[in-house]
């Protein structure tokens, strides 16, 4: 995938998780959620669930993802319902399933992180 595609995935994933992700002048995406608007952006923690296991796990938990790691493939599922005012909510029997499959590569951790981010990005795309 290209950097441009990764940037789009990360921005959509942040949107899905309600993370205020801003890109600092050095090009690093940073989690500015709850931060003082006057703070130095470099004080905000870098956020990249494509490369950071912790960021990916927090994203999966926050969005109530079901992650299944098989012999050759990683599957991530999220079930969404559209509630009042067309807002998305999570529900195990929801009407809008998001199912992402990623082929397990030489780096199964990277493949798992990518599957989580792709699923979150799909949620972000479906939001207003």
């Amino acid at each position: 995938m290209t950097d441009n595609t990764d940037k789009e995935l990360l921005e959509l994933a942040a949107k899905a998780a309600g993370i205020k992700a801003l890109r600092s002048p050095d090009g690093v995406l940073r989690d500015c959620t709850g931060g003082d608007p006057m703070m130095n952006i470099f004080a905000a923690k870098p956020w990249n669930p494509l490369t950071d296991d912790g960021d990916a796990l927090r994203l999966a938990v926050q969005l109530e993802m079901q992650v299944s790691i098989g012999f050759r493939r990683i599957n991530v599922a999220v079930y969404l319902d559209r509630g009042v005012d067309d807002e998305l909510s999570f529900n195990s029997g929801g009407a809008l399933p998001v199912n992402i499959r990623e082929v397990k590569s030489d780096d199964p951790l990277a493949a798992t992180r990518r599957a989580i981010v792709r699923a979150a990005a799909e949620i972000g795309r479906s939001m207003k």
Side-chain angles (χ1 to χ4, degrees):
M1 296 213 160
T2 66
D3 286 340
N4 199 19
T5 301
D6 285 351
K7 286 178 185 177
E8 180 184 11
L9 285 174
L10 289 170
E11 289 166 2
L12 288 168
K15 178 181 179 181
I19 293 171
K20 183 179 178 183
L22 299 175
R23 201 161 297 282
S24 58
D26 61 357
V28 174
L29 198 61
R30 296 182 182 272
D31 182 355
C32 298
T33 308
D36 179 350
M38 299 304 291
M39 76 177 203
N40 181 341
I41 194 166
F42 292 105
K45 179 184 176 287
W47 186 79
N48 190 339
L50 285 173
T51 60
D52 185 279
D53 293 340
D55 288 343
L57 178 61
R58 283 184 286 276
L59 185 61
V61 170
Q62 185 170 1
L63 296 176
E64 300 179 13
M65 294 181 178
Q66 297 174 8
V67 180
S68 173
I69 301 164
F71 179 66
R72 294 178 192 243
R73 166 172 46 209
I74 289 99
N75 296 306
V76 176
V78 184
Y79 299 93
L80 304 171
D81 276 338
R82 290 217 181 261
V84 180
D85 296 329
D86 207 33
E87 289 185 17
L88 295 174
S89 62
F90 303 97
N91 181 331
S92 61
L96 294 172
V98 173
N99 292 296
I100 298 295
R101 291 189 178 123
E102 188 78 29
V103 175
K104 207 182 216 183
S105 62
D106 292 339
D107 186 350
L109 295 175
T112 303
R113 291 189 304 265
R114 180 164 293 280
I116 290 168
V117 172
R118 287 179 53 213
E122 285 302 314
I123 295 167
R125 267 191 199 95
S126 68
M127 296 170 73
K128 288 183 180 181

